[in-house]
Structure formats: structure tokens, C-alpha cells
Amino acid sequence: MAATTLTDRAVVRLSGEDARGFLQGLITSDVENPLPVWAGLLTPQGKCLFDFIVWADGDDLLLDCEASAADDLIKRLAIYRLRRPIRIERDPSLAVHWSLDGEGPSDARLSALGKRWLGPADGAVSAVSGWLEHRLRLGVCEGRAELGDILWLECNAAELNGVSFTKGCFVGQENTARMNWRQKVNRRLVVVESDAPGPRTRIHYPELGLAVEHRRTGDLEGAIIPDWLKAALAQPTTA
């Protein structure tokens, strides 16, 4: 049986009184609607601090997040918790699983990414290498090395179902909504084929010959432009 465990991911559980309402006021996506959904926790300026997929488990919420960022994410959420009776902690009993096909829900960002689900952590062989190349070939970025400190809409969040402009307030909403209203997304994160990092490289994956770069929309030569991004790039932007 093919490996499915994404060992570079962790699960953070939010439980307690109105955990859903607590997260609703902080993150970019609407957790009052059916889950899972991709979301970001931003700076007040609208730049990405963390990205994750939100799942429901009864009244609890589960955050499928980058394992290396999980503890920092917990600390950041705790800042906003104040005295609310909400627990925010890792759930080591669960792992994130991925398969290119088969049963289960499609990835919340893009169905072509494959099937994604949460299940028991069983110490299985990692599926990370297969997932990484598949994701990058589809032009989808994730994690702090790729998204960190980039404006959320420049992370292609609108195109990948990672933001709601109707849900109400979230941290970084003002600048994010203004950029959307003015169609002022003048830079994008893109994946390029590259043998070596360049001046615009965020991270280079030499084993794959791929890199993530932050580029102006008028300077995307050589970038992988998937179908899901083409329509957005065809829209005029303001300077």
C-alpha cells in the first residue's frame, strides 16, 4: 500500500467554549460554513504568518498545519485567547494523510491536489516527497518558507479558496479587502523550473529543479502558470 502520511504536518486542536467563534474572528476563511477550508492567520498589515487547513471534529476545530510551525501557531493564537476557556494544543493522535486518488475529501484549495484527510498517526512511511512535487507542479505554495511575510492575496489565496470577503472581520482584513477592491495584486508567488536559486527565489528545491519566487505580474516569464491562475492574471491590475 502506498504511503499516505505527510510527516511534515501536525494537527492542532482547538476545544472549549465557542472555539469556532474565536477562530472566526481571526483567520481569513469562514469557519461557520462547511469545512475543511484553507485559511491564513495574518499580520495586521495582511501578510501571512501561518497557513493551515481547518477541519471540524464535533464542536472542536482541527488545524492541519506545518509541523515546524505548530508551536509558534499555538503561541500566536494564545495571544488572542485572553481569558476565554479555550484549549489550544497539539493532537499527537492524529496525522495528515494524502493520496493522489481514491476515496476521501478533495484538498480544500484545489481538487487536482488530490485527496486529503486526517487519521491515526501510525508511524507510516512518509509521502512528503511525492506530495511536494505534485503540489509545486500545480503552482500551489504553502508553509512559512514559501508564504511567510507575503501579502495574503499575493499568495494566490483568493484563487485557492483561502479568503472570504463576506465573513466579517479577521486580522489583516482592511488591507486585504482594499487590495481586492482595487484589484491591486501586482505581485504573485509562482513556481519556476530552476537549477539554482536566483535573486527573487523564496526557496529552492534542488532535488526537483523547482523554486518558489515572488514576482511582479508583468514579469512571469518561465513561471509555471496553471489553469487556476490564468484567469486571475488576465484581469487588469492597478499600479
Side-chain angles (χ1 to χ4, degrees), residues 3-130:
T4 64
T5 306
L6 297 180
T7 54
D8 62 345
R9 306 291 290 185
V11 176
V12 172
R13 179 179 292 273
L14 280 74
S15 59
E17 185 178 325
D18 196 23
R20 194 174 291 238
F22 165 70
L23 201 63
Q24 176 78 348
L26 297 177
I27 67 171
T28 59
S29 293
D30 192 342
V31 298
E32 298 291 351
N33 283 330
L35 301 176
V37 67
W38 185 49
L41 180 62
L42 312 182
T43 68
Q45 295 75 33
K47 295 183 177 182
C48 180
L49 287 172
F50 306 95
D51 76 298
F52 38 80
I53 295 176
V54 186
W55 302 78
D57 183 20
D59 291 333
D60 294 357
L61 292 178
L62 304 174
L63 308 185
D64 158 2
C65 67
E66 193 176 15
S68 61
D71 291 340
D72 289 340
L73 173 59
I74 290 169
K75 291 176 184 177
R76 188 75 180 193
L77 290 171
I79 292 173
Y80 296 105
R81 178 178 54 190
L82 301 176
R83 295 186 178 181
R84 296 191 192 203
I86 295 173
R87 297 184 64 180
I88 309 169
E89 57 194 349
R90 284 181 182 246
D91 188 337
S93 70
L94 293 173
V96 180
H97 297 267
W98 165 78
S99 176
L100 190 54
D101 48 31
E103 299 181 357
S106 295
D107 193 290
R109 292 162 288 187
L110 184 71
S111 61
L113 285 169
K115 305 299 183 180
R116 192 181 190 98
W117 68 97
L118 303 182
D122 55 11
V125 176
S126 176
V128 168
S129 60

Side-chain angles (χ1 to χ4, degrees), residues 109-173:
R109 292 162 288 187
L110 184 71
S111 61
L113 285 169
K115 305 299 183 180
R116 192 181 190 98
W117 68 97
L118 303 182
D122 55 11
V125 176
S126 176
V128 168
S129 60
W131 160 250
L132 176 63
E133 181 168 12
H134 180 65
R135 172 175 68 79
L136 291 172
R137 293 286 179 189
L138 288 171
V140 177
C141 300
E142 69 178 20
R144 291 193 291 187
E146 297 176 12
L147 307 181
D149 205 35
I150 300 292
L151 290 165
W152 189 234
L153 296 188
E154 294 180 357
C155 298
N156 306 312
E159 294 73 31
L160 293 171
N161 306 307
V163 61
S164 170
F165 295 108
T166 60
K167 58 160 281 192
C169 295
F170 57 85
V171 179
Q173 179 203 23

